[in-house]
Amino acid sequence: MPSTKAYRAALLHCLADPRDVGIEQAHEYFEDGLLVVEDGKVARIGHAAELLPTLAAGTEIVEYPDALITPGFVDTHIHYPQVGVIGSYGAQLLDWLETYTFPNEGRFSDIAHAREQAELFLGELLRNGTTTALVFGTVHKQSVDTFFEACEKRNLRMIAGKVLMDRNAPDFLTDTAESGYADSRELIERWHGKGRLHYAVTPRFAPTSTPEQLTLAGKLFTEFPDLYMHTHISENKQEVEWVKELFPERKGYLDVYDHHGLIGPRSVFAHGVHLCDDECQRLGETGSAVSFCPTSNLFLGSGLFDLAKVEGFGVRVGLGTDVGGGTSFSQLASLNEAYKVLQLQGQKLDAFKALYLATLGGARALYLDDRIGNLQPGKDADFVVLDYKATPLIDYRLSQATTLQEKLFALMILGDDRAVKETFAAGVSVHRKGC
Ligand code: GUN
Ligand code: ZN
C-alpha cells in the first residue's frame, strides 16, 4: 500500500527561468492548493477543489491556513565546518581564512566535534527551509563521514566532499596530492549514490592546491559518473592576483581549473565576483555553474556579483549562503541581500526570479532539476511551509499586499528562519517551528 498524504495551502513553484519565458509562464500558483505526496515523491499538485474529491477515502489531509508551500530551498555553496566562525570581525578573505577559519576547521580532527557540528549544521539548514545543499567539509575525511551519516539519518538529498589542500595552509590542515586522492576515492565509494547523497571533489581553491593535486582532482572527476566538482573562484581581488602569481603559465583563474580538467557539467564555482567575459563565456559553454553568495560577498567586502553579465553568457547560477563567510543560513535573507547587490548595479530582482534562484535555478545549477527544485509529479517531496503570519510585522505587511508578487517580495525581504513553519524531506517532516 502506498503511503499517501495531502497538504492543503497556497502553493507556488517555478517551472522555468523567468528570464527565458517571462514571469507568467515561469511559475504555477494555486491559491487554495493541494499537494499530494506518495512514498516520498510528489504525486499530484493542483487546486484543492479539483483534487480533494479524487483522494482515496481516509487519506490524511494536513491544512495550513495563512501559509505558502514552496519547494525546499537549494543552497549551492556552504561550509558545514564554519558554523563556529559566522560573524567574525574585521577581515577580508585571505586574512579571514588565516585568522578564523583555518583554526576552526582544525578542530574537525576530533570526530566527536565533527559529529556534533554536523547535527547543529543540519538543524540550522532545515530550520531555514533548505533541503539540498552543496557542502564543503574539512580536509579530514571523517568530517565527510559524519556529515553524510547525519544526512542519511534524515534521508536528505545532499552533496558534500572532503577538502583538498596540500599547500598554503597550516600543517594540521593539509593533505598531499596522493592522500587527498585516496581519501576522496574511499569516500566516493562509500557515499556517492547512497540514498540521496552525492559526492563533490572539493579542491578548496587554486592557491591551496599544487598542480599535482589539481591534476589528481581532475582525474577523480572523470573516474566516477555524476560526480560534482566544488571550489571557489574570483571572490576577492587579492586572491585573483595571488592566483596569477602562483600559476603564471595559465591565462587566468578559471584557466587553472580548466587546464586540470575541473570544469563542465556539475562543476560549481562559488562567488565569481571578478570573472572576466572570456571566463563567463567558457563557464557557459562548458555547462559549469556559479554560486552567487550575496551575504558573504558583502560581509567579506569581496564585491558585487554581476548576475546579468554571468547569466548573459548562459552560465547556470544558483544561490549560496557561504556560511561562515556568509552571515545567514536563510535563503530568504540571501535573497534580501541579493536584491541590494543588484540594486547597486542598476539590476532588478523580482520575487519570481528570486524564488527561481533559491529553488529550481539552484537545482539546475546542480543538474538535479529532474529530482528537486519544484513540485511537479515525480519529484522528491522536499518542500517548505512558509508562514504568512510569522511575525507581527510580516503579518501586517503581507496583509497590505494586493498581489502575489508583492506578498512574496515582502516575505523575502522580511523573512528568515522565523518564516519557516515546517520543512519536509522526501515527504517526511524534518523541522517544525517551535518543536
Ligand atoms: N576561498 C577559499 N576558502 C574559502 C572559504 O572557506 N570561504 C570563502 N568564502 N572563500 C574561500
Ligand atoms: Zn565558500
Side-chain angles (χ1 to χ4, degrees), residues 18 26 50-51 62 71 92 107 134 143 152 193 203 245 252 283 306 316 322 329 376 379 412 425:
E50 286 169 20
L51 291 185
V62 185
Q92 292 213 352
R107 300 171 65 196
L134 174 57
S143 74
E152 192 180 31
E245 284 165 29
L283 287 167
D306 189 342
R316 294 169 185 240
D322 192 31
F329 276 83
Q376 284 175 316
K379 299 275 177 94
M412 126 194 171

Side-chain angles (χ1 to χ4, degrees), residues 7 37 39-41 72 126 129-132 151 153-158 196 372 380-384 422-431:
Y7 301 87
V37 173
D39 294 335
K41 304 254 187 227
L126 299 172
T130 297
T131 46
T132 291
C151 295
K153 243 177 23 194
R154 296 166 171 87
N155 191 17
L156 302 176
R157 188 169 292 288
M158 288 283 166
R196 298 206 295 156
I372 58 165
D380 295 353
D382 290 354
F383 59 97
V384 283
E422 194 158 0
T423 305
F424 289 83
V428 174
S429 176
V430 284
H431 161 71

Side-chain angles (χ1 to χ4, degrees), residues 416-435:
D416 50 30
D417 58 312
R418 294 167 300 172
V420 177
K421 198 186 199 52
E422 194 158 0
T423 305
F424 289 83
V428 174
S429 176
V430 284
H431 161 71
R432 202 148 136 228
K433 196 173 160 191
C435 292

Side-chain angles (χ1 to χ4, degrees), residues 362-382:
R364 278 197 69 233
L366 301 176
Y367 288 79
L368 285 175
D369 47 315
D370 57 335
R371 300 168 190 200
I372 58 165
N374 67 14
L375 300 173
Q376 284 175 316
K379 299 275 177 94
D380 295 353
D382 290 354

